């Protein structure tokens, strides 16, 4: 009988499903028939005793461990057929064990194959002499191999991984990886998995140098999807390395090695993407409010800072100290199109750099074209820099001794409403909790890559709603 109470938990070893976190599953009590109950106990690889006792109303097996044929078709609730036994587990990759065909079916299949071969031989004698056939059994082997490849590509089996344990729902995927849904994550994962399978750990790459690219992919201590989950725990969730090491049952050095490897790999992948979009595409995706007030805006600029762990060298402290934040910081420039897509990401610079200087050295000026408009805050005094490339700056009016006119007030309010787009984009980047606390100095060589990755991944979270 299926149970839907929120206190239900699956009793299969290694399965952490429960009705509170996975309410969409059904939970089934052990059968009362002694023989069938023994079959269930044997199937889930447990023995009754002090550590495991079957109690009515509190010991269940979730629906993940049954095949579709085990359920009664057409029933409004998930009801098991009589005699159904759980057969899908982590130790068999959630695949049902193959059943041996009857002798009658095997004999009939052999007879069909023999008749097909006889027909092919007859046709071959009547055709030209250059017609050749593959050896016996080659076609069957090829078909089996094709089916195996299709299964690898179409069914990305994540069931036997820690990823399946921690990311079993859209809410969990949003929390642990910041992707909005499982569908979006699978699109992302299927696009990078083929190249990620050839990753070489950064420590190995350091030793091999240029020869690292020629080496075969090393044997891994965990599935590839779990390595990405480990990287997400560090970057998206902001967990400490010791906690991640305990959860994955690996050393802290392994956590650090995997984090740095994936940070550099994703940076290489994302750097090959041209985020800067053409003027035509900017206008085609521009919200109506922009078309009304600022139709020529190409990009909205703003800077943000991330805290850095206090270095021991006084010279480095002075170069990275931010009087505004009163802390050691790094500063980055982000450019956002009116539609909300991040289209420009600068490197991280020392925290004391000005908005004008970071705009000058970031590399965004060569991307602008004659007639482009750049929207920014009052601190961006970059009119002269934009004038050199034929662009125009749009910022709120500065305060003056007199009172703002009605036009100036409306202009300030309009720019503030439109500039909120870049503020929301930065908020999406900062939702990666690695930025909640000062970045450790152990990641100082990788912080630029992590920063760039977070900015690009913010685009996977969908468009913004421009306020009226």
């Amino acid at each position: 009988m299926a149970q839907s109470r929120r206190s239900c938990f699956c009793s299969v070893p290694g399965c952490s499903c429960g009705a509170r976190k996975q309410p969409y599953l059904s939970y089934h009590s052990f059968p009362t028939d002694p023989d069938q109950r023994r079959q269930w106990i044997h199937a889930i690889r447990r023995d009754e005793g002090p550590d495991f006792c079957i109690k009515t109303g509190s010991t269940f097996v979730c629906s993940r461990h049954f095949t579709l044929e085990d359920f009664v078709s057409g029933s409004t609730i998930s009801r098991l057929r009589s005699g159904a036994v759980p057969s899908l587990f982590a130790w068999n990759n959630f695949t049902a064990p193959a059943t041996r065909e009857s002798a009658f079916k095997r004999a009939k299949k052999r007879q069909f194959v023999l008749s097909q071969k006889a027909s092919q031989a007859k046709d071959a004698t009547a055709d030209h002499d250059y017609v050749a056939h593959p050896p016996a059994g080659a076609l069957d082997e090829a078909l089996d191999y094709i089916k195996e490849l299709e299964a690898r590509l179409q069914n990305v089996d994540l069931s036997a991984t820690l990823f399946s344990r921690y990311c079993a729902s859209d809410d969990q995927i949003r929390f642990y990886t910041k992707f909005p849904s499982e569908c979006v994550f699978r699109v992302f994962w299927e696009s990078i998995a083929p190249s990620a399978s050839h990753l070489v750990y950064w420590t190995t790459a350091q030793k091999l140098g240029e020869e690292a690219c020629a080496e075969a992919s090393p044997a891994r201590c965990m599935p590839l999807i779990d390595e990405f989950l480990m990287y997400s725990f560090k970057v998206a969730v902001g967990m400490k390395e010791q906690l991640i090491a305990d959860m994955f049952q690996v050393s802290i050095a392994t956590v650090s090695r995997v984090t740095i490897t994936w940070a550099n790999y994703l940076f290489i992948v994302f750097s090959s993407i041209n985020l800067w979009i053409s003027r035509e595409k900017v206008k085609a995706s521009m919200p109506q409010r922009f078309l009304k007030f600022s139709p020529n805006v190409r990009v909205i600029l703003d800077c943000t800072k991330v805290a850095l762990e206090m270095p021991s060298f006084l010279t480095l402290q002075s170069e990275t100290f931010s009087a505004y934040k009163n802390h050691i910081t790094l500063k980055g420039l982000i450019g956002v199109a009116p539609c909300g897509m991040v289209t420009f990401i600068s490197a991280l610079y020392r925290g004391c750099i000005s908005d004008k200087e970071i705009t000058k050295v970031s590399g965004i000026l060569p991307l602008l074209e004659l007639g482009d408009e750049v929207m920014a805050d009052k601190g961006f005094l970059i009119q002269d820099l934009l004038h050199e490339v034929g662009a125009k700056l749009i910022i709120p009016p500065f305060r003056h001794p007199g009172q703002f006119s009605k036009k100036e007030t409306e202009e300030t309010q309009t720019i503030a409403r439109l500039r909120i787009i870049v503020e929301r984009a930065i908020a999406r980047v900062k939702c990666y909790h690695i930025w909640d606390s000062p970045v450790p100095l152990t990641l100082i060589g990788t912080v630029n890559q992590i920063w760039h990755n977070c900015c690009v991944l913010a685009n996977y979270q969908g468009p913004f709603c421009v306020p009226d």
Side-chain angles (χ1 to χ4, degrees):
M1 176 181 180
Q3 302 291 330
S4 60
R5 290 173 292 180
R6 300 186 66 83
S7 59
C8 296
F9 296 95
C10 184
S11 60
V12 174
C15 182
S16 60
C17 293
R20 186 176 299 276
K21 292 184 177 180
Q22 290 86 15
Y24 47 86
L25 299 178
S26 57
Y27 298 84
H28 305 273
S29 302
F30 279 71
T32 56
D33 181 70
D35 293 335
Q36 192 176 1
R37 174 178 290 203
R38 280 193 294 270
Q39 292 180 10
W40 279 40
I41 296 173
H42 176 74
I44 67 173
R45 297 184 178 180
R46 302 198 71 163
D47 295 318
E48 286 192 276
D51 298 330
F52 177 65
C53 181
I54 299 176
K55 297 181 180 179
T56 304
S58 62
T59 308
F60 306 99
V61 175
C62 70
S63 55
R64 293 181 65 202
H65 305 290
F66 295 91
T67 63
L68 293 177
E69 291 75 14
D70 291 333
F71 294 93
V72 177
S73 59
S75 60
T76 56
I77 60 173
S78 298
R79 186 159 57 90
L80 292 174
R81 295 182 181 275
S82 177
V85 178
S87 58
L88 307 180
F89 306 102
W91 52 82
N92 62 10
N93 292 328
F94 284 82
T95 56
T99 56
R100 184 175 175 82
E101 294 180 335
S102 64
F104 175 76
K105 289 185 177 180
R106 294 198 303 272
K108 190 174 182 180
K109 185 180 293 186
R110 283 196 300 270
Q111 184 179 1
F112 174 76
V113 171
L114 291 174
S115 63
Q116 287 291 103
K117 289 182 178 180
S119 175
Q120 291 173 0
K122 182 178 180 181
D123 293 340
T125 57
D127 209 335
H128 297 285
D129 56 0
Y130 56 76
V131 177
H133 294 281
L139 182 60
D140 294 337
E141 293 177 1
L143 291 175
D144 292 340
Y145 183 66
I146 292 173
K147 290 180 180 179
E148 181 183 352
L149 291 178
E150 290 176 345
R152 290 180 185 176
L153 293 175
Q154 297 176 2
N155 303 319
V156 181
D157 184 19
L158 308 179
S159 57
T161 62
L162 284 176
F163 185 89
S164 65
R165 176 180 178 183
Y166 290 104
C167 299
S169 65
D170 286 350
D171 289 338
Q172 290 176 314
I173 287 178
R174 278 192 293 269
F175 179 80
Y176 288 114
T177 68
K178 302 307 176 188
F179 283 91
S181 66
E182 181 184 2
C183 179
V184 175
F185 173 78
R186 282 185 175 270
V187 171
F188 164 77
W189 181 250
E190 290 173 4
S191 66
I192 69 166
S195 59
S197 61
H198 296 88
L199 271 179
V200 177
Y201 291 116
W202 76 276
T203 49
T204 306
Q206 280 184 323
K207 297 176 183 178
L208 296 176
E210 295 181 356
E211 297 178 1
C213 298
E215 294 291 326
S217 178
R220 302 183 179 276
C221 60
M222 68 183 75
L224 200 62
I225 188 71
D226 283 354
E227 287 190 4
F228 178 78
L229 181 64
M230 181 180 290
Y231 170 82
S232 297
F233 278 2
K234 179 63 180 177
V235 176
V237 187
M239 290 184 180
K240 300 297 182 183
E241 290 182 347
Q242 181 65 64
L243 178 58
I244 300 174
D246 293 340
M247 294 176 67
F248 283 80
Q249 297 182 354
V250 295
S251 64
I252 295 180
T254 299
V255 176
S256 177
R257 183 168 61 250
V258 169
T259 301
I260 294 174
T261 299
W262 274 88
N264 283 277
Y265 163 71
L266 292 176
F267 175 73
I268 293 173
V269 172
F270 293 150
S271 296
S272 65
I273 302 174
N274 184 18
L275 296 177
W276 188 257
I277 56 179
S278 65
R279 183 187 294 175
E280 292 73 18
K281 290 183 179 180
V282 171
K283 284 198 173 184
S285 60
M286 185 176 290
Q288 289 297 322
R289 191 172 187 86
F290 270 93
L291 289 173
K292 180 179 180 181
F293 294 100
S294 304
N296 296 321
V297 169
R298 184 75 177 274
V299 66
I300 312 170
L301 296 181
D302 203 0
C303 288
T304 187
K305 295 183 177 182
V306 296
L308 184 67
E309 195 173 83
M310 183 75 70
S312 57
F313 295 103
L314 295 178
T315 304
L316 189 57
Q317 290 183 23
S318 62
E319 289 182 351
T320 56
F321 183 79
S322 170
Y324 178 74
K325 294 289 186 179
N326 196 27
H327 200 280
I328 305 297
T329 61
L330 297 173
K331 188 174 183 179
L333 176 69
I334 290 183
V336 178
C339 63
M341 177 182 175
V342 177
T343 57
F344 180 80
I345 309 163
S346 78
L348 292 175
Y349 300 89
R350 60 187 188 276
C352 61
I353 191 172
S354 66
D355 293 342
K356 182 175 182 178
E357 183 66 19
I358 198 173
T359 304
K360 184 177 180 180
V361 301
S362 64
I364 191 172
L365 295 177
L367 299 175
L368 298 172
E369 302 176 46
L370 183 65
D372 284 343
E373 293 182 353
V374 177
M375 186 173 288
D377 200 4
K378 294 181 180 179
F380 281 81
L381 305 178
I382 56 175
Q383 295 93 330
D384 54 337
L385 299 178
L386 296 180
H387 180 72
E388 294 177 0
V389 297
K392 179 184 177 182
L393 178 65
I394 299 179
I395 58 174
F398 277 89
R399 183 179 179 180
H400 49 74
Q403 188 177 5
F404 274 176
S405 64
K406 181 179 179 181
K407 181 180 178 181
E408 290 176 328
T409 303
E410 292 177 350
E411 184 179 358
T412 301
Q413 293 175 347
T414 301
I415 295 176
R417 288 193 183 99
L418 300 180
R419 270 197 69 257
I420 199 172
I421 295 294
V422 71
E423 299 289 346
R424 290 178 177 177
I426 292 175
R428 282 185 173 180
V429 177
K430 290 295 186 70
C431 78
Y432 288 84
H433 294 290
I434 190 173
W435 313 118
D436 291 351
S437 57
V439 178
L441 293 179
T442 54
L443 292 177
I444 191 64
T446 320
V447 65
N448 256 309
Q449 292 89 317
I450 296 176
W451 161 256
H452 189 276
N453 297 341
C454 292
C455 292
V456 175
L457 289 173
N459 287 335
Y460 280 85
Q461 299 183 28
F464 295 103
C465 294
V466 180
D468 297 328

